[in-house]
Amino acid sequence: TAFYPEGGGQPSDVGKLMVDGKEIDVEYVEKIDGTIVHYTKEAVEKGKEVEGIIDWERRYSLMKHHTATHVINSACRKVLGDHVWQAGSQLDVDEARFDFSHYKPLSEKDIREIERVANEVVKEGIDVVKEFLERSEAEKRYGVVLYQGGVPEGRIIRVVRIPGVDVEACGGTHLNNTSEIGKIKVVRGERIQDGVNRLIFVAGRERVEELEKREERRLKLIVEKLQEKFNIKNVEKDAGKTLQRIAKMFSVPLDKIEDTVEKFMRDIPKAERIEARNVIDACEKLFKEWKRSRKEKKRIPSELVEKILSDYSEDYKGYKLVFVSDPNISKDYDSIAIAEELARAERIVACIRDDKGLVFSASQDIEIDLREIARKTGSLLGGGGGGKERLARCGGSRLENIQKAMEEAKNLIKSQLSG
Ligand SMILES: [Zn+2]
């Protein structure tokens, strides 16, 4: 069969079997005890002669990614040092990931250099040599570096060698020449655990171009959003790199940039337009504005505290109980900050409703466990609750029950104060 069974981080081929002129889809192929098993959409009659046709475009993309993985591996060793050791790899049609040991997280500069070195190998157009060798002979020639992707079984092993670049024991499908890769683009680097880094990359000229177009479109949409508030003079040329820098600045995953920009834009006060040199500059200013507005929301004016105490408090057995049931009271401020501010007084327990649920606080001179109350009322809201003994919150998706939850909170607080 020409079908490659899943293995070594390479997905199986898919394609068709031609049986008496009829096409039957092959959906998955795996190797079981040395037999290559084809999973077909329909049953194939026993004893029939079949012709297998693999989905070549898909396979060719997988081959590009596989050979590119070996090239990336060598580029990592060259840029970072010989201590780099493959920890895993996974190929896909659209992208591949390569995990390897390295003592520190990769810098942007490391990533660009690895990408540059890898593309040098692509440009050089080196023939990929695939040979079967006696294990002892292969080890003698190339050493243990062969076993980066794992140690194969058997006396004879298959060695894939890119002369002067990389040599590995590997049973996967490979290109005949590194120039067939076309182009490699590292999408991003990640620290996946202590001592292990991951590079996610795309191989193949068309796929790289598609990716770059996608990134440009995303950046354009982000720019449009930012323009509601910022006058952006220039838009950066390298969209991918810009997106990554923004994600890093906001400390969010790459795919959460749009949501984050939107949230920040919503949260900052309406003010006059801000000048920005470029997108990164606009994002930096947006982030600063957002942080400042958050700080502002935590600064609770004494008039608000006084208003809450006069409108929403009741006396109970020598305690002051505050139940702020109007969500508009807290909407311009951080409700936790309000609760903390109220709890500075003596013998007071407060409960404030906000757009997520309820926030509870109690002054230090009271023996009470608000966490339990938060948990119980949170379940009424179809969610949960927790926090500290004297500062807790609850929330959930069933906010229509908030009045009931507040009543319940009042009973629970009273019973704790009485007990
Ligand atoms: Zn391989």
Side-chain angles (χ1 to χ4, degrees):
T1 179
F3 284 83
Y4 179 82
E6 180 170 336
Q10 182 172 336
S12 90
D13 279 327
V14 298
K16 290 183 180 80
L17 288 181
M18 298 294 287
V19 188
D20 292 338
K22 194 180 155 207
E23 291 180 357
I24 294 175
D25 288 342
V26 177
E27 293 170 324
Y28 178 68
V29 183
E30 76 175 324
K31 197 171 186 173
I32 303 173
D33 289 336
T35 306
I36 297 173
V37 181
H38 300 64
Y39 293 87
T40 53
K41 207 166 179 179
E42 297 163 49
V44 177
E45 215 181 302
K46 207 173 164 183
K48 281 276 184 213
E49 199 162 291
V50 299
E51 188 190 347
I53 301 163
I54 62 170
D55 179 343
W56 176 247
E57 206 188 316
R58 174 188 144 92
R59 156 71 90 80
Y60 196 45
S61 184
L62 287 168
M63 286 163 76
K64 285 178 190 174
H65 280 110
H66 198 151
T67 304
T69 303
H70 288 213
V71 172
I72 284 279
N73 185 353
S74 76
C76 288
R77 281 201 304 274
K78 199 163 172 189
V79 173
L80 304 171
D82 282 330
H83 61 275
V84 165
W85 196 264
Q86 178 171 340
S89 79
Q90 182 62 49
L91 305 175
D92 216 324
V93 185
D94 302 316
E95 62 177 33
R97 57 167 212 246
F98 176 68
D99 301 342
F100 61 98
S101 57
H102 181 49
Y103 47 86
K104 58 179 186 183
L106 296 180
S107 68
E108 185 61 33
K109 211 176 133 213
D110 291 334
I111 292 175
R112 296 285 77 96
E113 184 60 10
I114 290 164
E115 187 182 76
R116 192 191 64 77
V117 169
N119 278 300
E120 282 299 313
V121 175
V122 174
K123 264 185 240 150
E124 271 177 63
I126 304 168
D127 280 334
V128 180
V129 183
K130 299 143 220 172
E131 53 196 353
F132 288 92
L133 293 173
E134 291 258 358
R135 177 184 293 274
S136 54
E137 176 62 20
E139 284 175 7
K140 202 165 77 195
R141 272 197 222 166
Y142 307 118
V144 287
V145 75
L146 273 177
Y147 300 136
Q148 295 233 357
V151 184
E153 287 169 25
R155 197 172 54 85
I156 305 285
I157 60 173
R158 182 171 181 263
V159 174
V160 175
R161 183 162 58 96
I162 306 171
V165 177
D166 180 74
V167 55
E168 288 176 49
C170 174
T173 60
H174 281 274
L175 304 168
N176 291 322
N177 189 286
T178 59
S179 66
E180 289 175 74
I181 296 170
K183 199 174 179 183
I184 297 174
K185 185 179 165 97
V186 177
V187 183
R188 62 183 187 277
E190 284 171 1
R191 188 83 166 160
I192 55 167
Q193 64 185 76
D194 197 34
V196 182
N197 287 286
R198 168 172 294 172
L199 284 176
I200 293 152
F201 60 93
V202 172
R205 191 165 292 279
E206 276 168 34
R207 294 210 183 256
V208 169
E209 278 167 12
E210 268 170 38
L211 172 75
E212 285 171 346
K213 268 192 209 128
R214 269 204 309 276
E215 289 171 342
E216 275 162 28
R217 276 198 299 272
R218 278 188 68 193
L219 187 63
K220 210 176 138 208
L221 288 174
I222 290 167
V223 168
E224 278 169 18
K225 185 83 202 158
L226 286 166
Q227 271 165 343
E228 290 170 19
K229 203 127 220 174
F230 295 89
N231 293 327
I232 300 171
K233 279 210 187 68
N234 285 302
V235 174
E236 286 87 339
K237 288 235 156 47
D238 190 333
K241 197 172 152 189
T242 308
L243 290 173
Q244 273 178 47
R245 285 184 60 190
I246 297 171
K248 205 169 164 196
M249 187 197 304
F250 293 165
S251 306
V252 297
L254 209 53
D255 60 350
K256 287 279 177 291
I257 296 175
E258 287 87 340
D259 291 351
T260 310
V261 167
E262 219 158 276
K263 177 185 161 37
F264 287 175
M265 293 285 286
R266 238 189 350 254
D267 285 358
I268 63 172
K270 303 260 175 287
E272 74 250 50
R273 298 183 65 77
I274 301 166
E275 296 295 323
R277 288 191 309 280
N278 50 32
V279 185
I280 293 286
D281 187 37
C283 285
E284 264 168 11
K285 286 172 174 159
L286 172 65
F287 198 23
K288 222 186 255 169
E289 278 293 311
W290 181 74
K291 280 192 275 194
R292 189 161 59 202
S293 81
R294 247 188 21 160
K295 228 184 253 165
E296 283 296 318
K297 283 182 181 173
K298 284 187 180 164
R299 203 172 294 141
I300 310 302
S302 55
E303 301 85 63
L304 179 65
V305 175
E306 278 160 27
K307 185 176 163 49
I308 289 174
L309 286 175
S310 78
D311 293 359
Y312 296 97
S313 77
E314 60 180 88
D315 291 322
Y316 176 76
K317 294 187 177 172
Y319 298 99
K320 206 173 257 311
L321 303 186
V322 179
F323 286 87
V324 183
S325 50
D326 181 357
N328 288 320
I329 295 289
S330 63
K331 83 174 187 329
D332 290 330
Y333 296 94
D334 184 272
S335 43
I336 291 174
I338 300 176
E340 281 180 311
E341 195 60 41
L342 288 167
R344 282 172 190 273
E346 282 170 12
R347 293 172 77 78
I348 188 168
V349 183
C351 169
I352 295 159
R353 174 182 173 178
D354 65 10
D355 58 355
K356 294 185 201 75
L358 300 172
V359 174
F360 304 96
S361 68
S363 54
Q364 292 301 315
D365 54 2
I366 299 179
E367 276 306 317
I368 195 166
D369 192 346
L370 296 171
R371 291 172 297 188
E372 207 188 308
I373 296 170
R375 257 196 307 277
K376 282 182 180 161
T377 49
S379 72
L380 285 174
L381 300 175
K388 290 185 268 188
E389 279 182 12
R390 293 187 185 80
L391 182 67
R393 78 160 301 135
C394 73
S397 55
R398 281 161 40 201
L399 286 175
E400 69 272 15
N401 290 342
I402 193 105
Q403 209 53 47
K404 213 169 118 197
M406 219 165 187
E407 283 305 315
E408 178 68 10
K410 195 178 275 190
N411 292 335
L412 291 167
I413 288 169
K414 281 182 177 172
S415 90
Q416 274 210 38
L417 291 176
S418 309

